[in-house]
Amino acid sequence: MRGIVARHPVASFLVLAYTVTAAVSLVPYLTRRDLLPLEVAPYDVIASLVALAAAAFVVTWAADGPAGVRDLALRSVRWKVGLRWYALALLAVPTLMLVGAFAIDPPGTADAIATDWPRLLTHVLPQLIVLVLFLNWAEEIGFTGFLFARLQVRHGALKGCLIVGVFFSIWHIPFFVVETGSILEALLVLGFLFIPQLASRFIVGWIYNSTGYSLLLVGLFHATFNGTVNSMGLGRQVLGMSPGIALLVANLIVVLGAVVILVATKGKLSETPAQESRPPISDVGGTGS
């Protein structure tokens, strides 16, 4: 079995990721959002921590041994990057969402902030912490730290992002089925979100390469986006936006951001000429600029 995984690491990872995710989404008890705080369902956590992060480490061990596991672990916790990258990961989407809210409804947004700003501490921040620790950081260990890192070597950053974007979108189908209760509606949601999800992979790939392969920063960006648009997020809890408007504005931000990055980097996404699937890392902090 280990030999098969070692020969086909990408396929093995995807089989594990999809199988575990689909399996946990079929257990009604695990899909209930009243079992954990902040409207998080157990299957959200299991799918992220087990189907993606744990699968990435298991397949890495089988394919690359202890050295590969250590490398992935170090990239997962690489924190020593420029402060501007923390600012971008944590503030870019919320700031642009704020601008969008004022552009759409200045009086309503001002009134909502004046009334609901304490929810930043009671709703938005706690949700963000949960997203980072139990969901989106783990997702990026799998999709970026394992899958994109390998595909980038084989195909380059741009094509690697395109391929990961397809697999990333497909992985969400069980979640959409659970939330909508219908396979047809889930496919419609998938179609609506495909371009924004694909665009997010370009932003993530750029951040990953630019920060010296920091999966922590990538996870922070992913969590901040979700913590801006979801039911417990900034857009709905503090800015008073409707679910549809919050989703539309956030998706436009991501799509436009991806276009700007692709143009600014000429499609290179800060990829280095001698890119390696497991870049050598001498310390946990790293040297991202």
Side-chain angles (χ1 to χ4, degrees), residues 52-67:
L52 294 178
F57 278 101
V58 168
V59 176
T60 297
W61 172 81
D64 306 316

Side-chain angles (χ1 to χ4, degrees), residues 65-112:
V69 171
R70 178 178 180 275
D71 174 75
L72 180 57
L74 290 176
R75 282 183 285 140
S76 298
V77 296
R78 171 168 273 191
W79 60 271
K80 192 184 295 184
V81 301
L83 289 178
R84 67 183 181 278
W85 292 106
Y86 282 97
L88 183 144
L90 294 171
L91 300 177
V93 174
T95 299
L96 292 173
M97 180 71 91
L98 177 63
V99 171
F102 271 108
I104 294 170
D105 183 9
T109 300
D111 290 343

Side-chain angles (χ1 to χ4, degrees), residues 94-252:
T95 299
L96 292 173
M97 180 71 91
L98 177 63
V99 171
F102 271 108
I104 294 170
D105 183 9
T109 300
D111 290 343
I113 293 174
T115 302
D116 298 330
W117 69 265
R119 292 185 179 181
L120 279 171
L121 301 178
T122 60
H123 292 68
V124 179
L125 183 58
Q127 173 82 346
L128 179 61
I129 293 172
V130 170
L131 289 172
V132 172
L133 294 180
F134 300 106
L135 299 170
N136 301 138
W137 186 12
E139 287 182 35
E140 295 303 341
I141 290 173
F143 278 114
T144 300
F146 179 87
L147 189 58
F148 173 70
R150 290 175 180 271
L151 292 175
Q152 179 171 230
V153 178
R154 189 180 307 171
H155 303 291
L158 185 61
K159 189 173 180 180
C161 285
L162 287 169
I163 297 172
V164 174
V166 173
F167 289 128
F168 180 72
S169 293
I170 294 173
W171 179 74
H172 284 83
I173 291 177
F175 297 88
F176 298 153
V177 172
V178 169
E179 298 302 326
T180 64
S182 164
I183 294 178
L184 178 59
E185 288 186 38
L187 293 177
L188 292 175
V189 172
L190 178 69
F192 175 73
L193 293 179
F194 178 74
I195 296 300
Q197 287 183 335
L198 180 62
S200 74
R201 293 297 95 192
F202 295 124
I203 299 176
V204 162
W206 172 67
I207 294 175
Y208 176 72
N209 286 335
S210 299
T211 57
Y213 319 112
S214 172
L215 295 171
L216 175 61
L217 265 292
V218 168
L220 288 177
F221 172 79
H222 190 160
T224 300
F225 173 84
N226 286 350
T228 301
V229 71
N230 65 18
S231 62
M232 301 291 287
L234 176 74
R236 294 171 63 178
Q237 292 294 330
V238 178
L239 303 181
M241 304 172 81
S242 67
I245 293 298
L247 183 62
L248 178 61
V249 172
N251 285 339
L252 285 175

